[in-house]
Amino acid sequence: MPVSILGDFNFSFKWTKFTLMKLDVIQSSRLIMFLCWFVSVLGVSQERVVTIKGSVKEKSTQKPMNNVDIRVLGKRMAQTDAFGDFRIKVSIGDELVISHDSFRTVYYTVKDDQRIDILVEDSPISSGISKDVKRVNEETYVKNLQAAKKSLNKDAAISIEYITKALEAIRDEDSAAEKKKATLYETLADIYLYWNQPDLAIDNYVISIENRFNEQVKIKLGKAYLANKNYQESLQTFTTLQKTQLNSLQKITVFEGLGDSYNGLKEKSKAIKNYNNALSLAEKENQEEAVINLNSKLADVLQDQGSLRKAEEYLGNSVELASRKSKKTSAIQRAKAADFYNKSSSFDKEIQYRKEALEDIEEITEEEENSLSSPSPVLAEDRAITSQVQNYKIANAFAAQSEYDEAIPYLEESIKKAASENDLVVQKDATRKLGEVYREKGELKKASEAFEEYEVIVDKLYIQKEQEISQANLFSRELTKKANRITTLEKDRELNEGRYKLAFQSQELANQQSVKQQIIIYALAGLMILLLLAAYLMYRNMKQQRYANNLLALKSLRSQMNPHFIFNALNSVNTFIATSDERAANKYLTDFSLLMRAVLENSEEDFIPLEKEIELLRLYVKLEHFRFQDKFEYEIIIDPDISISDYMIPPMLLQPYVENAVWHGLRYKSEKGLLSIHINKLTVDSLEIIVRDTGIGREKSKALKTVNQKKQKSQGMSNIQNRISILNKMYKDKVDVFISDLDNNTEGTQVKLILKKSA
């Protein structure tokens, strides 16, 4: 059946009332159930309200900004205090509007409940506008934008008027002006596209993208090109989108758009490839509506290529999936399937699918017959699934097979239904077809009556089309007029922007002097910081040098102690050899080698575990006792409550004190003495190590020294005192040593060493 494109502009109240009646109440019972579920979920998942803290400061001076307005549009408002701080309750995802006379308005989207610190720059342009005016402008913009979207599918002229008012409320000094313009022009393009004005929609989508690029708007631009049959431009648009970051749903739309573009350019193979890409992704993402639509499109393209078997397979998928959806979706796909079989002259299958579509359509009508609707354009798909159209096409299929008796009831039903719906186009075609059928049957009287009725309907349709053309022209002129008004408004805005800049140039010049003063202050502050940094670096270098000197001194002392210790031990070996005690010398050398290995392993460390030091000390005392068995006995007693592995001690710290006890105290005693080493716990973090001998004492030992020995200071004691001094400087008083005499300074010596646990 030929369908005139002038039907796109059919705005008669009776027709449009019926059309929107169907669009508003499809499966009303299911819709009510869904709304109830949605409201219950909404009640459970209320937006999470949080209290946000933050501050507003000048970027250049870090000075707090007082009395700055912090607003959530349509909800709450707060102001900063004398310290620039604010507190406001918001929901995650809300957009904060931070505004003041002295800076450009800042927009901030709340992502979490963390503190927000805003740094703002002075704006000479915005300083000339009061915050009350800015607040009114913001509210005017939001209110009119919402009204435009709400009336988009009801009245194009009113919706565009709201867009104009919203555009007038935008000020060039507003930091979000470009974002707002992009949104307004996108909405304006949506209006034009909805009301079948794709050429105007294209122009406004382009302006929206110029103000602010948005992938979704570019996708809409591609669809507008398709609607206007600019297939080359739509192909270029969707190809460009493939290079951007898209989510899965957007990728499906882009692949489908590429398929539509190639299909329009008659490049069927490329169209099939992109439809298949879209279908695979739609199936993966469980986008059933897209899967149905893509199966249907693949069937059409494959049929054009002659691949009827594959085409029928995709068509079957489309119809089967659609049957699980709404009655409207099912009816549309069954009607498409019928058209498919009509092309291939499979009239029986065509009739079957049209009858099934007719059943779905009758159910839709019953559900929507009591609904109210407002004027809107009639979509081609809605026209195709009317009962009068399907009855007419069923009759055509019967007539094509010369089954005229079966065709007549469907034609009569189509004429009746079309008359009740004032669908003169279908009524005309069905009446003409009825006359042809009667003529083929030889019932010339009935055929003549039908043709006479056909002429009457043609006259009515001619008058109706004239009215529709007039209405369409009026509608188009009105839209063009409003579009020109918006264009003029934008040009005026550009002129005003230059005027604003000139008006506040003097204020900028006045601020330049202040900027120079600030630069001088910052330069002086920077110089002071550099001096402080230089002083700090010098101090750090001195500290590092001092530390390095201490390490060098410790290494030097250790290098002196090790030869001293080795020489003393070798003297002992020499004594055994001199007395021809070879067996004792060998045994001594064996133990001595073990001791030397332990000493050398620890010689480079500042601290070793106390456990290792005690092992080394046991080995050393064992060697000395082996040599002077007749002079002393020894004992090493450790408090069982002490965990000696937790303490660190400088290596070879205790050995010199034990050596002194043996060589200068116990060796000269006539009777056998005692060397005792006790390790006791003092506090949680410290212990004491006591080296006590019952030798002749320090006074008698001095008296026994030769004249040469008196002139030389004890190398071992001197080294150990220097080591303790350096280590205490480096590690904050880790070791304390106290030496005292026993028995009224006559016999015996005690060395007490306090060791603190490592931090």
Side-chain angles (χ1 to χ4, degrees), residues 29 56 71 75 90 249 301 328 362 385 597 638 684 725:
S29 60
V56 181
R71 289 183 298 126
K75 294 183 180 180
V90 298
L249 298 183
V301 179
K328 179 179 178 180
E362 288 172 353
I385 63 168
R597 180 183 295 275
I638 302 172
V684 176
S725 175

Side-chain angles (χ1 to χ4, degrees), residues 104-117:
R104 292 183 183 273
T105 302
V106 177
Y107 297 85
Y108 181 88
T109 301
V110 178
K111 298 177 181 177
D112 50 39
D113 57 356
Q114 299 299 313
R115 179 180 176 85
I116 301 171
D117 294 305

Side-chain angles (χ1 to χ4, degrees), residues 15 18 87 118 147 204 226 246 290 305 374 430 437 463 481 595 707 709 746 751 753 759:
W15 173 260
F18 167 73
R87 179 189 303 226
I118 306 295
N204 286 281
L226 286 173
L246 302 173
Q305 277 196 325
S374 47
V437 169
I463 295 171
K481 180 180 176 181
L595 180 60
V707 175
Q709 287 175 331
T746 57
V751 177
L753 185 143

Side-chain angles (χ1 to χ4, degrees), residues 4-122:
S4 171
I5 61 170
L6 293 174
D8 291 345
F9 298 97
N10 184 348
F11 299 112
S12 63
F13 288 103
K14 186 173 182 180
W15 173 260
T16 51
K17 178 178 179 180
F18 167 73
T19 304
L20 281 186
M21 191 183 299
K22 293 186 293 183
L23 293 174
D24 286 344
V25 196
I26 295 176
Q27 297 179 316
S28 58
S29 60
R30 294 183 182 178
L31 183 59
I32 292 171
M33 291 175 64
F34 173 78
L35 288 174
C36 292
W37 171 83
F38 181 78
V39 170
S40 65
V41 172
L42 189 63
V44 174
S45 57
Q46 291 283 339
E47 290 182 330
R48 186 164 68 96
V49 178
V50 296
T51 300
I52 295 289
K53 296 180 181 179
S55 66
V56 181
K57 298 178 180 179
E58 287 185 2
K59 186 175 181 180
S60 57
T61 63
Q62 296 293 310
K63 179 182 177 182
M65 300 288 292
N66 189 19
N67 294 325
V68 175
D69 289 338
I70 315 294
R71 289 183 298 126
V72 179
L73 293 180
K75 294 183 180 180
R76 304 174 186 85
M77 177 177 174
Q79 281 192 331
T80 57
D81 56 21
F83 301 101
D85 295 327
F86 67 86
R87 179 189 303 226
I88 187 171
K89 289 185 177 180
V90 298
S91 299
I92 302 300
D94 280 347
E95 186 174 58
L96 292 182
V97 181
I98 299 99
S99 58
H100 193 266
D101 292 349
S102 61
F103 59 80
R104 292 183 183 273
T105 302
V106 177
Y107 297 85
Y108 181 88
T109 301
V110 178
K111 298 177 181 177
D112 50 39
D113 57 356
Q114 299 299 313
R115 179 180 176 85
I116 301 171
D117 294 305
I118 306 295
L119 298 177
V120 298
E121 296 182 357
D122 292 341

Side-chain angles (χ1 to χ4, degrees), residues 448-632:
S448 177
E449 291 174 352
F451 284 127
E452 287 176 2
E453 180 65 23
Y454 167 74
E455 291 176 359
V456 173
I457 296 171
V458 167
D459 291 338
K460 290 182 180 178
L461 183 61
Y462 179 78
I463 295 171
Q464 185 186 71
K465 290 303 178 184
E466 281 189 332
Q467 293 175 346
E468 288 178 354
I469 291 171
S470 176
Q471 290 176 349
N473 289 335
L474 180 63
F475 178 72
S476 182
R477 285 197 302 271
E478 188 176 0
L479 293 186
T480 304
K481 180 180 176 181
K482 292 185 179 297
N484 290 337
R485 181 182 172 188
I486 291 175
T487 303
T488 303
L489 179 64
E490 191 61 23
K491 289 180 179 178
D492 290 342
R493 184 184 310 284
E494 292 175 1
L495 293 173
N496 289 334
E497 184 177 0
R499 181 170 58 83
Y500 275 118
K501 290 180 179 178
L502 290 174
F504 293 102
Q505 274 184 350
S506 58
Q507 184 175 348
E508 278 190 39
L509 293 173
N511 290 335
Q512 286 180 358
Q513 186 63 32
S514 174
V515 171
K516 290 180 181 178
Q517 292 175 354
Q518 289 178 357
I519 291 174
I520 294 173
I521 293 172
Y522 290 152
L524 292 174
L527 181 60
M528 181 63 69
I529 291 172
L530 289 175
L531 290 173
L532 291 174
L533 180 62
Y536 167 74
L537 292 174
M538 289 177 63
Y539 168 76
R540 190 179 68 175
N541 288 337
M542 290 174 61
K543 188 175 180 181
Q544 290 176 345
Q545 187 62 43
R546 193 181 304 118
Y547 183 80
N549 291 340
N550 287 335
L551 290 177
L552 186 61
L554 282 174
K555 187 172 183 179
S556 175
L557 291 172
R558 284 197 299 266
S559 65
Q560 293 176 23
M561 286 189 64
N562 291 338
H564 173 75
F565 167 71
I566 292 170
F567 293 153
N568 288 342
L570 289 176
N571 284 333
S572 299
V573 175
N574 185 51
T575 302
F576 286 118
I577 294 173
T579 57
S580 300
D581 192 348
E582 183 178 351
R583 185 175 180 182
N586 287 336
K587 186 176 184 307
Y588 191 89
L589 279 173
T590 300
D591 290 339
F592 174 69
S593 66
L594 294 175
L595 180 60
M596 284 301 96
R597 180 183 295 275
V599 170
L600 292 175
E601 284 178 355
N602 301 323
S603 62
E604 292 299 320
E605 302 293 334
D606 291 339
F607 286 89
I608 62 172
L610 179 59
E611 188 175 11
K612 283 189 176 182
E613 179 71 2
I614 292 173
E615 291 175 2
L616 188 147
L617 195 62
R618 288 183 190 276
L619 195 54
Y620 173 73
V621 174
K622 178 181 177 183
L623 288 174
E624 294 291 37
H625 181 258
F626 182 72
R627 184 177 176 190
F628 301 111
Q629 294 183 18
D630 57 336
K631 291 296 182 179
F632 73 94

Side-chain angles (χ1 to χ4, degrees), residues 419-438:
S420 68
E421 298 294 341
N422 196 30
D423 188 351
L424 293 178
V425 173
V426 177
Q427 188 180 1
K428 168 184 72 70
D429 292 335
T431 303
R432 178 180 53 79
K433 191 67 179 179
L434 182 61
E436 292 174 356
V437 169
Y438 278 129

